[in-house]
Amino acid sequence: MKVPILRLGRILLTSVLADLVDEQAVQLQSEILALIRDDRADGVVIDISGLDVVDSYIARLLNETASMVRIIDGEAVLTGMQPLVALTLVEMGRETLDMQTALDLEAGVAVLNDLIAAKGQPPTIAAPHVDT
């Protein structure tokens, strides 16, 4: 199963709806990086609301993806983390992911726009107002 990556303005959106095997996770990482580089996207929102479990490999891969995106001058936001996934990450010693997080996709787009604007670039799309 290939995870779709959608383009919305100058940002990428992807939603992981089922647990990934290692090869699928690596493929997703490669595709995100290629699209940011080739399509000159400003960043990516990765929604993991479909995941009930995040093991240490997937957690590391998400961290590495965020770092690689920043190296090629993009930003990454993780959204939709289930409470048990957050608990698992804390128990694994990964209290803070090396990427911004947001509750849901809408908030993730707003956070990504803020990160992009902080770099002096205009917002990629008009994000709806999110009450926090």
Short mmCIF file of all heavy atoms in Angstrom, two decimals, residues 55-123:
data_model
loop_
_atom_site.label_atom_id
_atom_site.label_comp_id
_atom_site.label_asym_id
_atom_site.label_seq_id
_atom_site.Cartn_x
_atom_site.Cartn_y
_atom_site.Cartn_z
N ASP A 55 6.14 2.31 16.81
CA ASP A 55 7.28 1.65 17.43
C ASP A 55 8.52 2.53 17.32
O ASP A 55 8.48 3.62 16.75
CB ASP A 55 7.51 0.26 16.82
CG ASP A 55 7.87 0.28 15.34
OD1 ASP A 55 8.21 1.35 14.80
OD2 ASP A 55 7.81 -0.79 14.71
N SER A 56 9.61 2.09 17.91
CA SER A 56 10.82 2.92 17.94
C SER A 56 11.36 3.19 16.54
O SER A 56 11.88 4.27 16.28
CB SER A 56 11.89 2.27 18.81
OG SER A 56 12.25 1.01 18.30
N TYR A 57 11.20 2.25 15.63
CA TYR A 57 11.68 2.45 14.26
C TYR A 57 10.89 3.56 13.57
O TYR A 57 11.48 4.46 12.96
CB TYR A 57 11.59 1.15 13.46
CG TYR A 57 12.04 1.32 12.03
CD1 TYR A 57 13.40 1.42 11.73
CD2 TYR A 57 11.12 1.43 11.00
CE1 TYR A 57 13.83 1.62 10.42
CE2 TYR A 57 11.54 1.62 9.70
CZ TYR A 57 12.89 1.71 9.41
OH TYR A 57 13.30 1.91 8.13
N ILE A 58 9.56 3.52 13.66
CA ILE A 58 8.74 4.54 13.01
C ILE A 58 8.98 5.90 13.67
O ILE A 58 9.07 6.92 12.99
CB ILE A 58 7.25 4.16 13.05
CG1 ILE A 58 6.99 2.88 12.25
CG2 ILE A 58 6.37 5.30 12.55
CD1 ILE A 58 7.30 2.98 10.77
N ALA A 59 9.13 5.93 14.99
CA ALA A 59 9.42 7.19 15.69
C ALA A 59 10.74 7.78 15.20
O ALA A 59 10.83 8.98 14.92
CB ALA A 59 9.46 6.96 17.20
N ARG A 60 11.74 6.93 15.08
CA ARG A 60 13.04 7.41 14.59
C ARG A 60 12.93 7.89 13.15
O ARG A 60 13.48 8.93 12.77
CB ARG A 60 14.08 6.29 14.69
CG ARG A 60 15.50 6.81 14.40
CD ARG A 60 16.49 5.71 14.36
NE ARG A 60 16.26 5.02 13.08
CZ ARG A 60 16.63 3.80 12.81
NH1 ARG A 60 17.23 3.07 13.70
NH2 ARG A 60 16.38 3.27 11.65
N LEU A 61 12.17 7.16 12.32
CA LEU A 61 12.02 7.54 10.92
C LEU A 61 11.29 8.89 10.80
O LEU A 61 11.67 9.72 9.97
CB LEU A 61 11.25 6.46 10.17
CG LEU A 61 11.33 6.63 8.67
CD1 LEU A 61 12.19 5.52 8.08
CD2 LEU A 61 9.96 6.61 8.05
N LEU A 62 10.29 9.13 11.64
CA LEU A 62 9.61 10.42 11.63
C LEU A 62 10.57 11.55 12.02
O LEU A 62 10.59 12.61 11.39
CB LEU A 62 8.41 10.40 12.58
CG LEU A 62 7.21 9.57 12.14
CD1 LEU A 62 6.22 9.41 13.28
CD2 LEU A 62 6.55 10.17 10.91
N ASN A 63 11.38 11.32 13.05
CA ASN A 63 12.38 12.31 13.46
C ASN A 63 13.37 12.59 12.33
O ASN A 63 13.70 13.74 12.05
CB ASN A 63 13.13 11.84 14.70
CG ASN A 63 12.41 12.16 15.98
OD1 ASN A 63 11.68 13.13 16.07
ND2 ASN A 63 12.61 11.33 16.98
N GLU A 64 13.86 11.52 11.72
CA GLU A 64 14.82 11.69 10.63
C GLU A 64 14.19 12.42 9.45
O GLU A 64 14.85 13.25 8.81
CB GLU A 64 15.34 10.33 10.18
CG GLU A 64 16.26 9.68 11.19
CD GLU A 64 16.64 8.25 10.81
OE1 GLU A 64 16.11 7.71 9.81
OE2 GLU A 64 17.47 7.66 11.52
N THR A 65 12.94 12.11 9.15
CA THR A 65 12.25 12.79 8.04
C THR A 65 12.18 14.28 8.32
O THR A 65 12.49 15.10 7.44
CB THR A 65 10.84 12.20 7.83
OG1 THR A 65 10.95 10.80 7.56
CG2 THR A 65 10.13 12.89 6.67
N ALA A 66 11.78 14.66 9.53
CA ALA A 66 11.70 16.07 9.88
C ALA A 66 13.06 16.75 9.76
O ALA A 66 13.16 17.86 9.23
CB ALA A 66 11.15 16.23 11.29
N SER A 67 14.11 16.08 10.21
CA SER A 67 15.46 16.66 10.11
C SER A 67 15.88 16.82 8.66
O SER A 67 16.44 17.86 8.29
CB SER A 67 16.47 15.76 10.84
OG SER A 67 16.21 15.74 12.21
N MET A 68 15.60 15.82 7.84
CA MET A 68 15.96 15.89 6.42
C MET A 68 15.18 16.99 5.71
O MET A 68 15.74 17.70 4.87
CB MET A 68 15.71 14.55 5.75
CG MET A 68 16.64 13.46 6.19
SD MET A 68 16.12 11.89 5.44
CE MET A 68 17.07 10.74 6.41
N VAL A 69 13.91 17.15 6.05
CA VAL A 69 13.09 18.20 5.45
C VAL A 69 13.68 19.57 5.80
O VAL A 69 13.80 20.44 4.94
CB VAL A 69 11.62 18.08 5.91
CG1 VAL A 69 10.83 19.35 5.60
CG2 VAL A 69 10.96 16.87 5.26
N ARG A 70 14.09 19.75 7.05
CA ARG A 70 14.70 21.03 7.45
C ARG A 70 16.02 21.27 6.73
O ARG A 70 16.33 22.40 6.37
CB ARG A 70 14.88 21.09 8.96
CG ARG A 70 13.58 21.39 9.70
CD ARG A 70 13.82 21.72 11.16
NE ARG A 70 14.49 20.65 11.88
CZ ARG A 70 13.88 19.60 12.42
NH1 ARG A 70 12.58 19.47 12.31
NH2 ARG A 70 14.56 18.68 13.06
N ILE A 71 16.79 20.21 6.53
CA ILE A 71 18.08 20.37 5.83
C ILE A 71 17.88 20.88 4.42
O ILE A 71 18.70 21.65 3.91
CB ILE A 71 18.87 19.04 5.85
CG1 ILE A 71 19.41 18.78 7.26
CG2 ILE A 71 20.00 19.03 4.82
CD1 ILE A 71 20.02 17.42 7.46
N ILE A 72 16.79 20.47 3.77
CA ILE A 72 16.54 20.96 2.41
C ILE A 72 15.58 22.16 2.43
O ILE A 72 14.89 22.43 1.46
CB ILE A 72 16.05 19.83 1.46
CG1 ILE A 72 14.77 19.17 1.98
CG2 ILE A 72 17.15 18.82 1.23
CD1 ILE A 72 14.21 18.11 1.03
N ASP A 73 15.58 22.89 3.56
CA ASP A 73 14.91 24.17 3.72
C ASP A 73 13.40 24.08 3.75
O ASP A 73 12.70 24.98 3.30
CB ASP A 73 15.36 25.17 2.64
CG ASP A 73 15.09 26.60 3.06
OD1 ASP A 73 15.13 26.88 4.27
OD2 ASP A 73 14.81 27.43 2.18
N GLY A 74 12.87 23.00 4.32
CA GLY A 74 11.43 22.88 4.50
C GLY A 74 11.09 22.78 5.97
O GLY A 74 11.96 22.89 6.83
N GLU A 75 9.84 22.58 6.26
CA GLU A 75 9.36 22.40 7.63
C GLU A 75 8.45 21.19 7.66
O GLU A 75 7.85 20.83 6.64
CB GLU A 75 8.59 23.63 8.11
CG GLU A 75 9.43 24.89 8.19
CD GLU A 75 10.50 24.84 9.26
OE1 GLU A 75 10.40 24.03 10.20
OE2 GLU A 75 11.46 25.63 9.17
N ALA A 76 8.34 20.55 8.83
CA ALA A 76 7.49 19.38 8.99
C ALA A 76 6.68 19.49 10.27
O ALA A 76 7.19 19.96 11.29
CB ALA A 76 8.34 18.11 9.02
N VAL A 77 5.42 19.08 10.19
CA VAL A 77 4.53 19.08 11.35
C VAL A 77 3.84 17.72 11.41
O VAL A 77 3.37 17.21 10.40
CB VAL A 77 3.47 20.20 11.24
CG1 VAL A 77 2.49 20.15 12.41
CG2 VAL A 77 4.14 21.57 11.17
N LEU A 78 3.79 17.16 12.60
CA LEU A 78 3.14 15.87 12.83
C LEU A 78 1.79 16.12 13.50
O LEU A 78 1.71 16.86 14.48
CB LEU A 78 4.02 15.01 13.74
CG LEU A 78 3.58 13.58 13.99
CD1 LEU A 78 3.68 12.75 12.72
CD2 LEU A 78 4.43 12.96 15.09
N THR A 79 0.73 15.53 12.96
CA THR A 79 -0.60 15.74 13.51
C THR A 79 -1.30 14.42 13.80
O THR A 79 -0.90 13.37 13.31
CB THR A 79 -1.49 16.55 12.55
OG1 THR A 79 -1.75 15.78 11.37
CG2 THR A 79 -0.86 17.86 12.17
N GLY A 80 -2.36 14.53 14.60
CA GLY A 80 -3.25 13.40 14.81
C GLY A 80 -2.73 12.30 15.71
O GLY A 80 -3.19 11.17 15.63
N MET A 81 -1.79 12.62 16.58
CA MET A 81 -1.23 11.58 17.44
C MET A 81 -2.26 11.13 18.48
O MET A 81 -2.83 11.94 19.20
CB MET A 81 0.02 12.11 18.15
CG MET A 81 0.77 11.03 18.89
SD MET A 81 2.28 11.62 19.71
CE MET A 81 3.12 12.48 18.42
N GLN A 82 -2.49 9.84 18.52
CA GLN A 82 -3.40 9.26 19.50
C GLN A 82 -2.77 9.35 20.90
O GLN A 82 -1.54 9.27 21.03
CB GLN A 82 -3.68 7.78 19.16
CG GLN A 82 -4.32 7.57 17.81
CD GLN A 82 -5.72 8.12 17.74
OE1 GLN A 82 -6.44 8.16 18.74
NE2 GLN A 82 -6.12 8.57 16.56
N PRO A 83 -3.57 9.49 21.95
CA PRO A 83 -3.01 9.58 23.30
C PRO A 83 -2.11 8.39 23.67
O PRO A 83 -1.06 8.58 24.30
CB PRO A 83 -4.25 9.63 24.20
CG PRO A 83 -5.30 10.22 23.33
CD PRO A 83 -5.02 9.70 21.94
N LEU A 84 -2.49 7.19 23.28
CA LEU A 84 -1.64 6.03 23.60
C LEU A 84 -0.32 6.05 22.85
O LEU A 84 0.69 5.56 23.36
CB LEU A 84 -2.39 4.73 23.34
CG LEU A 84 -3.53 4.43 24.32
CD1 LEU A 84 -4.27 3.16 23.92
CD2 LEU A 84 -3.01 4.34 25.74
N VAL A 85 -0.32 6.64 21.66
CA VAL A 85 0.94 6.78 20.90
C VAL A 85 1.84 7.75 21.64
O VAL A 85 3.04 7.50 21.81
CB VAL A 85 0.68 7.23 19.45
CG1 VAL A 85 1.97 7.62 18.76
CG2 VAL A 85 -0.05 6.13 18.68
N ALA A 86 1.29 8.88 22.11
CA ALA A 86 2.08 9.85 22.87
C ALA A 86 2.66 9.21 24.12
O ALA A 86 3.84 9.39 24.44
CB ALA A 86 1.23 11.07 23.23
N LEU A 87 1.84 8.44 24.82
CA LEU A 87 2.29 7.74 26.02
C LEU A 87 3.43 6.79 25.70
O LEU A 87 4.45 6.75 26.40
CB LEU A 87 1.12 6.98 26.66
CG LEU A 87 1.47 6.13 27.88
CD1 LEU A 87 1.92 7.01 29.03
CD2 LEU A 87 0.26 5.29 28.28
N THR A 88 3.29 6.05 24.62
CA THR A 88 4.34 5.10 24.21
C THR A 88 5.64 5.83 23.91
O THR A 88 6.72 5.38 24.31
CB THR A 88 3.88 4.29 22.98
OG1 THR A 88 2.69 3.58 23.32
CG2 THR A 88 4.95 3.32 22.53
N LEU A 89 5.55 6.96 23.19
CA LEU A 89 6.76 7.72 22.86
C LEU A 89 7.46 8.22 24.12
O LEU A 89 8.69 8.18 24.22
CB LEU A 89 6.44 8.87 21.92
CG LEU A 89 6.02 8.47 20.51
CD1 LEU A 89 5.54 9.69 19.74
CD2 LEU A 89 7.15 7.78 19.78
N VAL A 90 6.69 8.68 25.09
CA VAL A 90 7.27 9.14 26.35
C VAL A 90 7.94 7.98 27.07
O VAL A 90 9.06 8.10 27.57
CB VAL A 90 6.20 9.81 27.24
CG1 VAL A 90 6.74 10.06 28.64
CG2 VAL A 90 5.74 11.11 26.61
N GLU A 91 7.28 6.85 27.10
CA GLU A 91 7.86 5.68 27.78
C GLU A 91 9.12 5.19 27.08
O GLU A 91 10.01 4.63 27.73
CB GLU A 91 6.82 4.55 27.87
CG GLU A 91 5.73 4.85 28.88
CD GLU A 91 4.64 3.79 28.90
OE1 GLU A 91 4.60 2.92 28.01
OE2 GLU A 91 3.81 3.84 29.83
N MET A 92 9.21 5.40 25.77
CA MET A 92 10.41 5.00 25.03
C MET A 92 11.55 6.01 25.21
O MET A 92 12.63 5.82 24.70
CB MET A 92 10.12 4.87 23.52
CG MET A 92 9.34 3.64 23.16
SD MET A 92 9.26 3.33 21.38
CE MET A 92 8.63 4.84 20.70
N GLY A 93 11.26 7.10 25.93
CA GLY A 93 12.30 8.10 26.13
C GLY A 93 12.33 9.14 25.03
O GLY A 93 13.31 9.84 24.85
N ARG A 94 11.27 9.26 24.29
CA ARG A 94 11.21 10.25 23.22
C ARG A 94 10.16 11.30 23.59
O ARG A 94 9.19 11.51 22.89
CB ARG A 94 10.85 9.59 21.90
CG ARG A 94 11.86 8.58 21.45
CD ARG A 94 11.53 8.09 20.07
NE ARG A 94 12.47 7.07 19.67
CZ ARG A 94 13.58 7.30 19.02
NH1 ARG A 94 13.92 8.51 18.70
NH2 ARG A 94 14.38 6.31 18.68
N GLU A 95 10.41 11.96 24.74
CA GLU A 95 9.44 12.92 25.24
C GLU A 95 9.13 14.00 24.21
O GLU A 95 8.02 14.46 24.10
CB GLU A 95 9.92 13.59 26.53
CG GLU A 95 10.07 12.65 27.71
CD GLU A 95 11.40 11.93 27.71
OE1 GLU A 95 12.40 12.52 27.31
OE2 GLU A 95 11.42 10.77 28.10
N THR A 96 10.14 14.42 23.50
CA THR A 96 9.92 15.45 22.50
C THR A 96 10.39 14.94 21.15
O THR A 96 11.56 14.61 20.98
CB THR A 96 10.67 16.74 22.85
OG1 THR A 96 12.06 16.45 23.00
CG2 THR A 96 10.15 17.36 24.13
N LEU A 97 9.47 14.87 20.24
CA LEU A 97 9.86 14.57 18.87
C LEU A 97 10.61 15.77 18.33
O LEU A 97 10.35 16.90 18.74
CB LEU A 97 8.62 14.30 18.00
CG LEU A 97 7.89 13.01 18.26
CD1 LEU A 97 6.58 12.99 17.48
CD2 LEU A 97 8.74 11.82 17.88
N ASP A 98 11.50 15.54 17.42
CA ASP A 98 12.27 16.63 16.85
C ASP A 98 11.49 17.29 15.71
O ASP A 98 12.01 17.52 14.63
CB ASP A 98 13.62 16.11 16.35
CG ASP A 98 14.57 17.23 16.00
OD1 ASP A 98 14.37 18.36 16.49
OD2 ASP A 98 15.51 16.97 15.22
N MET A 99 10.20 17.51 15.97
CA MET A 99 9.37 18.19 14.99
C MET A 99 8.17 18.79 15.70
O MET A 99 7.81 18.36 16.79
CB MET A 99 8.93 17.25 13.86
CG MET A 99 8.08 16.08 14.31
SD MET A 99 7.81 14.77 13.07
CE MET A 99 7.19 15.61 11.67
N GLN A 100 7.59 19.78 15.09
CA GLN A 100 6.40 20.41 15.64
C GLN A 100 5.24 19.42 15.57
O GLN A 100 5.18 18.59 14.66
CB GLN A 100 6.04 21.66 14.85
CG GLN A 100 7.03 22.78 15.00
CD GLN A 100 6.92 23.44 16.36
OE1 GLN A 100 5.84 23.55 16.93
NE2 GLN A 100 8.04 23.89 16.88
N THR A 101 4.33 19.52 16.52
CA THR A 101 3.14 18.68 16.51
C THR A 101 1.90 19.56 16.61
O THR A 101 1.98 20.70 17.07
CB THR A 101 3.14 17.66 17.66
OG1 THR A 101 3.19 18.37 18.90
CG2 THR A 101 4.32 16.70 17.56
N ALA A 102 0.77 19.01 16.18
CA ALA A 102 -0.51 19.69 16.30
C ALA A 102 -1.57 18.63 16.49
O ALA A 102 -1.39 17.47 16.12
CB ALA A 102 -0.79 20.53 15.06
N LEU A 103 -2.69 19.05 17.06
CA LEU A 103 -3.75 18.11 17.39
C LEU A 103 -4.36 17.45 16.16
O LEU A 103 -4.56 16.24 16.13
CB LEU A 103 -4.84 18.82 18.19
CG LEU A 103 -5.95 17.94 18.74
CD1 LEU A 103 -5.40 16.86 19.65
CD2 LEU A 103 -6.98 18.79 19.46
N ASP A 104 -4.66 18.25 15.12
CA ASP A 104 -5.30 17.70 13.94
C ASP A 104 -4.75 18.37 12.68
O ASP A 104 -3.89 19.25 12.76
CB ASP A 104 -6.83 17.85 14.02
CG ASP A 104 -7.28 19.30 14.21
OD1 ASP A 104 -6.56 20.23 13.81
OD2 ASP A 104 -8.37 19.50 14.77
N LEU A 105 -5.26 17.94 11.55
CA LEU A 105 -4.74 18.42 10.27
C LEU A 105 -4.92 19.93 10.11
O LEU A 105 -4.01 20.63 9.66
CB LEU A 105 -5.44 17.67 9.13
CG LEU A 105 -4.93 17.90 7.73
CD1 LEU A 105 -3.46 17.52 7.62
CD2 LEU A 105 -5.75 17.09 6.74
N GLU A 106 -6.07 20.44 10.49
CA GLU A 106 -6.34 21.88 10.38
C GLU A 106 -5.33 22.68 11.20
O GLU A 106 -4.75 23.66 10.72
CB GLU A 106 -7.76 22.17 10.84
CG GLU A 106 -8.20 23.59 10.64
CD GLU A 106 -9.66 23.80 11.02
OE1 GLU A 106 -10.41 22.82 11.13
OE2 GLU A 106 -10.02 24.97 11.21
N ALA A 107 -5.10 22.27 12.43
CA ALA A 107 -4.12 22.95 13.28
C ALA A 107 -2.72 22.76 12.73
O ALA A 107 -1.88 23.67 12.81
CB ALA A 107 -4.21 22.43 14.71
N GLY A 108 -2.44 21.60 12.15
CA GLY A 108 -1.13 21.34 11.57
C GLY A 108 -0.81 22.27 10.41
O GLY A 108 0.31 22.76 10.28
N VAL A 109 -1.80 22.54 9.57
CA VAL A 109 -1.60 23.48 8.46
C VAL A 109 -1.31 24.88 9.01
O VAL A 109 -0.43 25.58 8.52
CB VAL A 109 -2.81 23.48 7.51
CG1 VAL A 109 -2.73 24.62 6.51
CG2 VAL A 109 -2.92 22.14 6.79
N ALA A 110 -2.03 25.27 10.06
CA ALA A 110 -1.80 26.58 10.67
C ALA A 110 -0.38 26.67 11.26
O ALA A 110 0.32 27.66 11.06
CB ALA A 110 -2.84 26.85 11.75
N VAL A 111 0.05 25.62 11.97
CA VAL A 111 1.40 25.60 12.53
C VAL A 111 2.44 25.65 11.42
O VAL A 111 3.42 26.40 11.51
CB VAL A 111 1.60 24.35 13.42
CG1 VAL A 111 3.07 24.15 13.79
CG2 VAL A 111 0.74 24.43 14.67
N LEU A 112 2.23 24.88 10.36
CA LEU A 112 3.18 24.88 9.24
C LEU A 112 3.26 26.26 8.61
O LEU A 112 4.35 26.75 8.32
CB LEU A 112 2.79 23.82 8.21
CG LEU A 112 3.75 23.66 7.04
CD1 LEU A 112 5.16 23.31 7.51
CD2 LEU A 112 3.25 22.57 6.09
N ASN A 113 2.13 26.92 8.41
CA ASN A 113 2.14 28.28 7.86
C ASN A 113 2.91 29.23 8.77
O ASN A 113 3.66 30.09 8.29
CB ASN A 113 0.72 28.79 7.63
CG ASN A 113 0.18 28.38 6.29
OD1 ASN A 113 0.92 28.23 5.32
ND2 ASN A 113 -1.12 28.19 6.22
N ASP A 114 2.76 29.09 10.09
CA ASP A 114 3.50 29.93 11.03
C ASP A 114 5.01 29.68 10.91
O ASP A 114 5.80 30.62 10.95
CB ASP A 114 3.05 29.68 12.46
CG ASP A 114 1.65 30.21 12.75
OD1 ASP A 114 1.13 31.02 11.94
OD2 ASP A 114 1.08 29.82 13.79
N LEU A 115 5.40 28.42 10.80
CA LEU A 115 6.83 28.10 10.66
C LEU A 115 7.40 28.68 9.37
O LEU A 115 8.52 29.21 9.36
CB LEU A 115 7.03 26.58 10.68
CG LEU A 115 6.76 25.87 12.00
CD1 LEU A 115 6.77 24.35 11.81
CD2 LEU A 115 7.79 26.28 13.04
N ILE A 116 6.64 28.59 8.31
CA ILE A 116 7.09 29.12 7.02
C ILE A 116 7.18 30.64 7.09
O ILE A 116 8.15 31.24 6.62
CB ILE A 116 6.14 28.64 5.90
CG1 ILE A 116 6.30 27.13 5.70
CG2 ILE A 116 6.42 29.38 4.59
CD1 ILE A 116 5.22 26.48 4.88
N ALA A 117 6.18 31.27 7.70
CA ALA A 117 6.17 32.73 7.83
C ALA A 117 7.35 33.22 8.68
O ALA A 117 7.92 34.28 8.41
CB ALA A 117 4.85 33.22 8.41
N ALA A 118 7.73 32.44 9.69
CA ALA A 118 8.85 32.81 10.56
C ALA A 118 10.16 32.84 9.79
O ALA A 118 11.10 33.51 10.20
CB ALA A 118 8.94 31.85 11.74
N LYS A 119 10.21 32.12 8.68
CA LYS A 119 11.40 32.14 7.83
C LYS A 119 11.37 33.28 6.84
O LYS A 119 12.24 33.41 6.00
CB LYS A 119 11.52 30.80 7.08
CG LYS A 119 11.83 29.65 8.00
CD LYS A 119 11.70 28.29 7.36
CE LYS A 119 12.41 28.10 6.07
NZ LYS A 119 12.33 26.73 5.56
N GLY A 120 10.32 34.12 6.93
CA GLY A 120 10.22 35.27 6.04
C GLY A 120 9.54 34.98 4.73
O GLY A 120 9.58 35.79 3.81
N GLN A 121 8.89 33.83 4.63
CA GLN A 121 8.18 33.49 3.39
C GLN A 121 6.70 33.73 3.61
O GLN A 121 6.20 33.59 4.73
CB GLN A 121 8.43 32.02 3.02
CG GLN A 121 9.90 31.71 2.77
CD GLN A 121 10.14 30.21 2.61
OE1 GLN A 121 9.26 29.40 2.85
NE2 GLN A 121 11.34 29.86 2.21
N PRO A 122 5.98 34.06 2.54
CA PRO A 122 4.53 34.26 2.70
C PRO A 122 3.84 32.93 2.99
O PRO A 122 4.36 31.87 2.63
CB PRO A 122 4.10 34.82 1.34
CG PRO A 122 5.15 34.37 0.40
CD PRO A 122 6.43 34.28 1.18
N PRO A 123 2.66 32.98 3.63
CA PRO A 123 1.93 31.74 3.87
C PRO A 123 1.64 31.02 2.56
O PRO A 123 1.41 31.65 1.54
CB PRO A 123 0.62 32.21 4.53
CG PRO A 123 0.91 33.57 5.05
CD PRO A 123 1.96 34.15 4.15
#
